[in-house]
Every structure is written in C-alpha cells, then in structure tokens.
Amino acid sequence: VLGSLLEKQRTVPGSYPLSLNSLRLACNQTSSRDPITDLDDRTLEDVVRELKGRGLLRVVWAGKGSRTLKYHQLLDSELSLQPDERALITVLLLRGPQAPGELKTRTDRLHGFSDRGDVEATLKRMAAREEPLVVELPRRPGQQDARWAHLLGEVPAAPGPVADVDREQILAEGAGERDDQLRATYAAVAQEYQEQFGTWLDERPIER
C-alpha cells in the first residue's frame, strides 16, 4: 500500500491522493509488481486503518463538498527521505530485493540516477543510517550481483549452503543424464536472468 502511494504520487500527481478504488487498482496492477497481489476493499481498509494509526498515512477529503475519502502517504516525511532514497524505497517495496542495475532501470520515472554507481552510493548511505533502511543480501549461487532489500518488513532469508557435487556419480550416469541436469539448472535461473539481463540479451541473439 505504501509503495503504491509513493509511486502514484510521483507518476500520476494529478490523481493523487488516491481514492480507495484507485488504491486497489494501484496495488493490484500486474506490471511493476512482485509479487502481484489481489487485495479487496476490506483488506485495504484494514491496512489503511493500521497505517493511519502508525502515523504513516493520512485520510483527506477529495475536495470541498465531496464525500470521497482519499489517502496520502506520510512515509517519506516520517523517514526524512531524500528524492533518491524515496525512489529506491518505492521500488524495493513494490518489487522486492533487487540488484543495483535493476534498481537503476526501474526507478527511471521516479528519480534520475546518473549511473549504477550513483544507485550503489545511495543504497550504502541508506544502510549507514542510525536505523538502516536497506540491507545488502548475500550473493546467491550463480548470481552476478548482490541484491538489496528494504528493512521496513521481514528480511528475506539468506540462501542455504551449496551442496558438494559428486562428479563421479554424474560421470557414471552418462551424457544424457548430464544434459538433463544442465537444462534443469539453467531453467531454475532463467526467469531471474531474463529479468536482470533482458535488454542486454535483446541485442545478442546468440547469447539468448
């Protein structure tokens, strides 16, 4: 809910603050969300009530004489977020842990980071706060870049240890079995690789 309010405040300021219906559509949209949600009005009303009680959201009237309630987030002011920090928190709330390169691409409409190094510098500044807002997660097996997660909720569990490979057993099972295992291993990381390097792959058909 907070991520959706933060996003729409920047991308569609003319429609902000959001009505309950607009907030539901923003939370449940199928693009730029991970995971995709299907929140109903009752659930949203409960969350809004909780956030209001914690001082993270304010309820306002749509306009003079109107009875439509609208919702305005207070997270950025509560945390004294700078524009670059605000953009990163927004995308981390909406899409979960991400690598700096992904964050650079996905924050384009929210803040203009000059390059990946600019993103990393902002993340490190946020992690160095007295109460850190983000954390760098341990790099997972086969992962090129470490991902970052926000600390406004539960931190994703670190990956478990990688099992030792029994090379003798693999050789004994034959070429067909080895090929099947190789395909399965690639399949396990293909979706994440596509999301992280999709644009790069579009220009390199052989690598794709």
Side-chain angles (χ1 to χ4, degrees), residues 139-171:
R139 190 173 301 180
R140 299 189 297 186
Q143 200 171 48
Q144 181 176 352
D145 297 314
R147 299 179 304 158
W148 290 76
H150 68 77
L151 291 175
L152 304 183
E154 294 183 7
V155 180
V162 180
D164 291 335
V165 176
D166 186 346
R167 291 173 175 80
E168 295 301 323
Q169 178 64 29
I170 291 175
L171 290 172

Side-chain angles (χ1 to χ4, degrees), residues 28-176:
N28 295 340
Q29 71 181 53
T30 56
S31 61
S32 303
R33 301 288 186 270
D34 185 14
I36 294 172
T37 59
D38 186 20
L39 306 180
D40 57 27
D41 286 353
R42 176 63 181 273
T43 301
L44 282 174
E45 288 170 348
D46 290 342
V47 174
V48 163
R49 190 176 302 111
E50 179 185 353
L51 292 173
K52 183 175 181 293
R54 295 167 62 183
L56 298 175
L57 181 144
R58 182 169 68 236
V59 181
V60 298
W61 294 106
K64 188 175 182 180
S66 172
R67 294 188 177 183
T68 302
L69 294 178
K70 292 198 170 186
Y71 305 99
H72 168 65
Q73 63 80 25
L74 300 173
L75 181 69
D76 56 354
S77 58
E78 180 70 19
L79 298 179
S80 301
L81 295 176
Q82 299 299 314
D84 52 358
E85 298 172 334
R86 186 188 195 279
L88 292 175
I89 281 292
T90 299
V91 175
L92 288 171
L93 282 169
L94 293 175
R95 304 186 74 154
Q98 296 159 77
E102 294 173 306
L103 290 167
K104 166 70 172 64
T105 301
R106 293 168 178 174
T107 53
D108 276 349
R109 294 196 302 162
L110 304 173
H111 180 78
F113 288 99
S114 58
D115 53 31
R116 172 182 167 149
D118 191 11
V119 174
E120 291 176 331
T122 303
L123 289 167
K124 290 176 181 177
R125 186 204 321 146
M126 297 167 71
R129 282 187 171 210
E130 183 176 347
E131 292 187 15
L133 298 178
V134 298
V135 62
E136 186 176 14
L137 302 177
R139 190 173 301 180
R140 299 189 297 186
Q143 200 171 48
Q144 181 176 352
D145 297 314
R147 299 179 304 158
W148 290 76
H150 68 77
L151 291 175
L152 304 183
E154 294 183 7
V155 180
V162 180
D164 291 335
V165 176
D166 186 346
R167 291 173 175 80
E168 295 301 323
Q169 178 64 29
I170 291 175
L171 290 172
E173 289 171 347

